[in-house]
Amino acid sequence: MKPFRYVLKSLFNNSVIIEGRKRKWIESFIIFVLAMIIALIPTVVTIASVKGSALLDANSNGVDEGLKYFSETMNKKQIKFKIKEENKEKVITIEESDFKWGENDNDTDGYYFNNRGEDNYFIYERYDGDKRVERLRVYQLINLDANAFSDKIESIRNQSIETTPTSSFMAIGKTSSYLCVYSKASESWASPIAARFLTYDRFEDGQEVISSYVGEHSLNNWKEFIDTSYTSTKITSLFTQVGIYAALNFGISLFMAIMVFIITRGKNNPYRDYKFIEAIKIVSVASLTPSIIAALIGFILPAYSTMLFMVILGVRIMWLTSKNLNPAIRN
């Protein structure tokens, strides 16, 4: 049987798969690799389609307004954030006018700077009914190294809601920023509705960011900044998650091959001549149909896409062994 015809028949015919255990291993290997790729397509599409700025589109609890006010405040105070390249790494710098970061003029517009204690951050507030509520904090942490910056983020998210009510915040670090959004009903600093780790590696040397986002397009500029700076994090997440799910799919496939091999053991079992490599071939070819079904359902139900292949493969192997490798049926 020619390879293409063999593949088509194997999609629904278990007998063809079992008979194919004597075919060349390269055919089974190619089919298995194809099955792994198809099974992971919904996961890849789902992760790749995530936009960093999506956290501003729904339930942002005033963060979008706060970011616009922050840019307007920085622009008014002539405080500029610029991307520069240092030691082949993109970093952010602050160029200040005589009006320094952290100096208050008034808070009539709903913003001011916290100058108490060791923290220095911009605060944006708005009324919720008759009560003025903090909606966004912006920490300026460019003097911290990467480890200290991470420790600061962790300390913020470890605060007690009893002593400090939750507020969305952005931490601007030298090599990266962090944006964390909380809902009005948030019950813990450790449970934001969304968070983004943002890097500057995709911006041009000398480009002004953040402080230049003013005017009618200010929110769109912020969204573009978040999308661009989230790209590297998204790519890293994509490769990490795809690698993990690929390893899980491979692991469950190997487990199924072991199960087929064990089921065919036994002194009086008519299938005891099956070798382990043949069991691997059987599962490799049998995995194509589950991968196609998992991909189709995965696009409809993306939340379950990572588990579908493993479940459907298990069902098909159980069906295959009960119908085609059952000694009682053969006898």
Side-chain angles (χ1 to χ4, degrees):
M1 189 184 301
K2 292 184 177 181
F4 183 71
R5 186 182 175 190
Y6 168 62
V7 171
L8 288 180
K9 283 197 170 185
S10 70
L11 293 175
F12 54 86
N13 192 321
N14 290 333
S15 297
V16 170
I17 294 175
I18 294 174
E19 292 170 4
R21 64 192 169 86
K22 296 296 185 180
R23 298 176 72 95
K24 295 179 180 179
W25 68 269
I26 191 64
E27 293 179 352
S28 301
F29 177 77
I30 293 174
I31 293 172
F32 180 71
V33 171
L34 180 62
M36 293 297 99
I37 293 173
I38 293 173
L40 291 170
I41 288 176
T43 301
V44 172
V45 171
T46 299
I47 298 173
S49 61
V50 172
K51 294 185 109 179
S53 60
L55 80 175
L56 299 182
D57 292 336
N59 199 24
S60 63
N61 194 20
V63 174
D64 50 351
E65 295 177 358
L67 292 174
K68 290 193 292 183
Y69 263 82
F70 177 69
S71 292
E72 291 171 5
T73 304
M74 296 297 100
N75 187 271
K76 183 176 71 173
K77 294 178 181 295
Q78 298 179 29
I79 299 174
K80 296 182 178 180
F81 290 81
K82 288 190 174 182
I83 304 296
K84 291 190 176 179
E85 188 167 331
E86 295 181 0
N87 299 321
K88 297 182 179 181
E89 184 178 33
K90 297 289 181 62
V91 301
I92 203 166
T93 60
I94 294 180
E95 297 179 2
E96 294 182 332
S97 64
D98 291 337
F99 207 139
K100 304 296 183 181
W101 164 280
E103 293 184 3
N104 289 313
D105 44 358
N106 61 72
D107 66 351
T108 57
D109 291 326
Y111 68 85
Y112 58 95
F113 290 91
N114 172 68
N115 292 317
R116 300 182 298 274
E118 61 180 15
D119 287 338
N120 187 354
Y121 50 84
F122 172 89
I123 298 174
Y124 170 75
E125 294 181 341
R126 267 293 177 266
Y127 280 97
D128 187 1
D130 59 352
K131 183 180 179 182
R132 192 153 148 169
V133 178
E134 183 178 324
R135 298 291 178 85
L136 177 70
R137 295 183 181 184
V138 182
Y139 293 84
Q140 191 270 95
L141 305 173
I142 66 171
N143 293 325
L144 301 182
D145 60 26
N147 291 331
F149 180 77
S150 298
D151 291 342
K152 180 61 181 176
I153 299 299
E154 186 175 355
S155 69
I156 294 173
R157 293 190 57 174
N158 284 335
Q159 294 179 103
S160 171
I161 192 173
E162 286 76 17
T163 57
T164 310
T166 56
S167 169
S168 300
F169 70 91
M170 181 176 185
I172 302 175
K174 185 175 183 179
T175 59
S176 61
S177 291
Y178 185 80
L179 180 59
C180 197
V181 177
Y182 294 85
S183 69
K184 290 182 180 180
S186 178
E187 299 180 352
S188 170
W189 279 92
S191 304
I193 59 173
R196 298 287 187 265
F197 184 77
L198 312 171
T199 61
Y200 315 129
D201 56 317
R202 295 179 180 270
F203 293 95
E204 296 180 4
D205 185 20
Q207 181 178 349
E208 184 179 357
V209 296
I210 299 175
S211 52
S212 60
Y213 302 159
V214 295
E216 61 178 326
H217 301 297
S218 57
L219 182 57
N220 288 333
N221 290 337
W222 264 108
K223 288 183 176 182
E224 184 178 348
F225 170 80
I226 295 170
D227 288 337
T228 301
S229 53
Y230 183 62
T231 301
S232 294
T233 301
K234 182 167 69 173
I235 291 174
T236 300
S237 175
L238 175 63
F239 280 104
T240 300
Q241 292 191 49
V242 168
I244 291 172
Y245 294 130
L248 288 173
N249 289 347
F250 175 80
I252 196 69
S253 300
L254 182 61
F255 175 75
M256 290 299 167
I258 293 173
M259 290 300 297
V260 170
F261 182 71
I262 292 174
I263 288 172
T264 56
R265 298 306 91 194
K267 184 177 179 180
N268 299 319
N269 194 311
Y271 307 105
R272 64 183 179 275
D273 60 326
Y274 283 27
K275 300 176 182 177
F276 183 57
I277 187 63
E278 292 176 343
I280 292 177
K281 288 181 182 180
I282 290 172
V283 174
S284 295
V285 178
S287 65
L288 185 57
T289 298
S291 71
I292 295 173
I293 297 174
L296 293 175
I297 300 177
F299 282 114
I300 301 172
L301 303 171
Y304 302 98
S305 62
T306 56
M307 301 298 296
L308 284 170
F309 172 76
M310 292 179 274
V311 173
I312 298 173
L313 177 63
V315 171
R316 180 163 202 198
I317 296 302
M318 289 176 61
W319 174 43
L320 182 149
T321 53
S322 63
K323 293 295 184 181
N324 297 82
L325 296 178
N326 190 331
I329 293 178
R330 175 166 174 171
N331 291 333

